[in-house]
């Protein structure tokens, strides 16, 4: 029963992490003018639609790499915040490099935009931290046996049992 509950916690944490990463990627890639304080306000309904697409896009591409990280951390009881940040960075970079063409002759990726790689890696780090806050702090806890109850202390030698 604990395993089923853990699966729901992991799924919720993954979806929350993808939502946060989607917000970061959409905010950084599509709206770089956020840094300009004199800019005009952006239509809120357009932001909602773009955030929805960013969430769907990231959750679809990050599922398998993130699943590998989750399985490793659950199997080895890894609960370190640094492990989840590094794992998120790896997943973010893998999602970006998975969409970038690779030239097998020169063994390098063609067309890498370093800013986009940095954004995806940073979004992965934040997503890893969000995942750690929800599910990573108790990784592998479902495999621990429940604590055993200690027997009550013995009765004093002069006492009579209750009737």
């Amino acid at each position: 029963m604990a395993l089923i509950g853990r699966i729901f916690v992991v799924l919720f944490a993954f979806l929350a992490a993808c939502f946060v990463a989607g917000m970061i990627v959409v905010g950084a890639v599509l709206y770089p003018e956020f840094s300009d304080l004199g800019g005009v306000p952006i239509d809120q309904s357009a932001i909602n639609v773009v955030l929805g697409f960013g969430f769907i896009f990231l959750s679809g591409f990050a599922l398998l790499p993130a699943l590998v990280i989750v399985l490793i951390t659950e199997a080895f009881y890894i609960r370190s915040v640094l492990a989840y940040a590094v794992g998120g960075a790896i997943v973010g970079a893998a999602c970006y490099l998975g969409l970038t063409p690779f030239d097998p002759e020169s063994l390098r990726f063609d067309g890498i935009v370093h800013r986009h790689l940095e954004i995806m890696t940073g979004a992965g780090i934040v997503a890893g931290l969000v995942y750690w806050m929800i599910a990573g702090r108790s990784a592998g806890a479902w495999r621990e046996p429940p604590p055993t109850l200690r027997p009550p202390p013995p009765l004093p030698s002069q006492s009579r049992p209750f009737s």
Side-chain angles (χ1 to χ4, degrees):
M1 192 64 181
L3 177 62
I4 294 171
R6 185 67 186 164
I7 289 172
F8 283 119
V9 169
V10 165
L11 286 175
F12 176 75
F14 172 73
L15 292 177
C18 283
F19 184 71
V20 169
M23 288 187 338
I24 291 171
V25 169
V26 167
V29 172
L30 296 181
Y31 297 110
E33 65 269 1
F34 272 159
S35 61
D36 183 18
L37 295 177
V40 296
I42 298 171
D43 184 23
Q44 187 63 36
S45 61
I47 282 250
N48 291 339
V49 169
V50 171
L51 281 178
F53 280 118
F55 167 71
I56 292 169
F57 175 75
L58 281 180
S59 62
F61 281 105
L63 180 62
L64 289 178
L67 184 62
V68 170
I69 300 293
V70 166
L71 289 176
I72 289 171
T73 57
E74 288 288 331
F76 294 109
Y77 297 97
I78 298 173
R79 297 179 179 174
S80 168
V81 67
L82 183 61
Y84 287 94
V86 170
I90 291 170
V91 169
C95 287
Y96 178 74
L97 294 175
L99 297 174
T100 306
F102 181 74
D103 183 21
E105 291 178 8
S106 65
L107 295 176
R108 53 176 262 212
F109 290 95
D110 293 329
I112 289 182
V113 178
H114 290 285
R115 180 175 186 274
H116 294 169
L117 180 61
E118 292 165 359
I119 290 169
M120 287 295 288
T121 304
I125 291 170
V126 173
L129 295 176
V130 168
Y131 181 87
W132 174 81
M133 285 191 289
I134 297 172
R137 294 181 297 170
S138 60
W142 56 274
R143 295 183 353 175
E144 295 174 358
T148 57
L149 298 175
R150 292 182 7 194
L155 293 172
S157 61
Q158 311 314 326
S159 65
R160 288 189 275 159
F162 292 111
S163 48

